[in-house]
Amino acid sequence: MKLYSNDLSPFASRPRMAIYAKDLPVHILPPPGDLKSAEYLAINPMGKIPALVLDDGTVIPESDTIVEYLADAFPASGLRPTKPDEIARGRLIARVAELYVMASGSNLFGQMNPATRDAAVVEEGFTKLDSGLAHLNLFMTQDAYAVGDSVTTADCALVPMLMFVGVFGMVFGKGDPMARHTKVAAYWGRIQKDPAAAKVLGEMQAALKARMAG
Ligand SMILES: N[C@@H](CCC(=O)N[C@@H](CS)C(=O)NCC(=O)O)C(=O)O
């Protein structure tokens, strides 16, 4: 099994978190050239990363679907909790983070360059981000991980997304957007100590530094 990934992409970081946390037998590699190159489009016609390629050649795109596939393919990994209410809470966390936290982040991505920044778009982005974090806060608990006491699909969604929330706060001089969402903030403090999360975050931060420098 192969995962086409790059270190900076929050979407590609989601399955990498699952692979590292559960030591899954998946070979991680960069796409061969540009995402829109003929070579990569022959692998994933959507021209996006991540893409998981199974040993029989089946291609699975979309980070959420890839992590769900890994949970199904490796049931002993514990990537998915076992109790229905915990499964539902894990799914809610991943969905709310994607729909309401990451979606507002997508607008902020385009505003990183101060020379072309539109202050109104930034303000709207942060208003939506704050509302998304408030929604997410509803489903967080004092559990050691997002759900329970080990990494699940919910942590795989949260770690890369929250990393970018922190980056947005710094880049736009807004402080820590998570601070007033106390359960999210406490989770963020805890999860960074997990070895798999630390590995993914280290890769993302190094790639971001290189991108900003060049
Ligand atoms: N919904 C997709 C989003 C994937 C995505 O947009 N990845 C970016 C990299 S961060 C990409 O491939 N962008 C190239 C493009 O959209 O053309 C997922 O969850 O995997």
Side-chain angles (χ1 to χ4, degrees):
M1 221 181 278
K2 290 188 285 197
L3 179 79
Y4 288 94
S5 168
N6 81 29
D7 285 354
L8 184 56
S9 164
F11 302 106
S13 297
R14 193 168 169 175
R16 287 208 316 285
M17 169 88 189
I19 292 163
Y20 298 154
K22 306 300 183 182
D23 203 14
L24 302 180
V26 181
H27 176 53
I28 300 170
L29 72 171
D34 190 86
L35 293 179
K36 306 303 176 206
S37 66
E39 204 179 350
Y40 188 62
L41 289 176
I43 296 165
N44 178 12
M46 287 171 71
K48 292 179 189 289
I49 50 163
L52 185 73
V53 182
L54 307 188
D55 292 344
D56 70 358
T58 304
V59 179
I60 303 178
E62 293 296 316
S63 57
D64 174 65
T65 306
I66 293 171
V67 173
E68 289 293 328
Y69 172 82
L70 293 174
D72 289 327
F74 301 100
S77 69
L79 261 179
R80 184 178 296 121
T82 50
K83 295 183 188 151
D85 59 324
E86 291 186 343
I87 295 172
R89 194 162 66 81
R91 286 190 174 135
L92 267 173
I93 287 172
R95 187 168 169 81
V96 167
E98 183 158 354
L99 284 180
Y100 307 116
V101 177
M102 198 61 188
S104 49
S106 303
N107 296 340
L108 293 171
F109 261 120
Q111 300 296 318
M112 299 280 263
N113 181 354
T116 55
R117 192 170 289 168
D118 179 335
V121 174
V122 172
E123 283 316 304
E124 194 193 342
F126 272 92
T127 302
K128 284 192 177 157
L129 182 59
D130 187 60
S131 155
L133 288 168
H135 294 334
L136 179 60
N137 202 57
L138 296 171
F139 304 104
M140 302 305 290
T141 66
Q142 304 301 322
D143 287 1
Y145 286 81
V147 179
D149 57 7
S150 63
V151 169
T152 65
T153 54
D155 300 285
C156 301
L158 285 183
V159 165
M161 294 189 206
L162 294 182
M163 186 269 194
F164 269 99
V165 170
V167 168
F168 290 142
M170 268 188 297
V171 167
F172 295 99
K174 295 278 192 187
D176 177 5
M178 286 177 259
R180 75 180 202 89
H181 305 286
T182 52
K183 287 186 284 176
V184 176
Y187 166 80
W188 183 233
R190 287 195 297 276
I191 194 67
Q192 290 174 79
K193 298 185 185 104
D194 173 84
K199 182 169 178 180
V200 169
L201 292 169
E203 291 170 349
M204 293 178 78
Q205 277 150 2
L208 182 64
K209 205 170 155 194
R211 171 74 68 89
M212 304 273 248

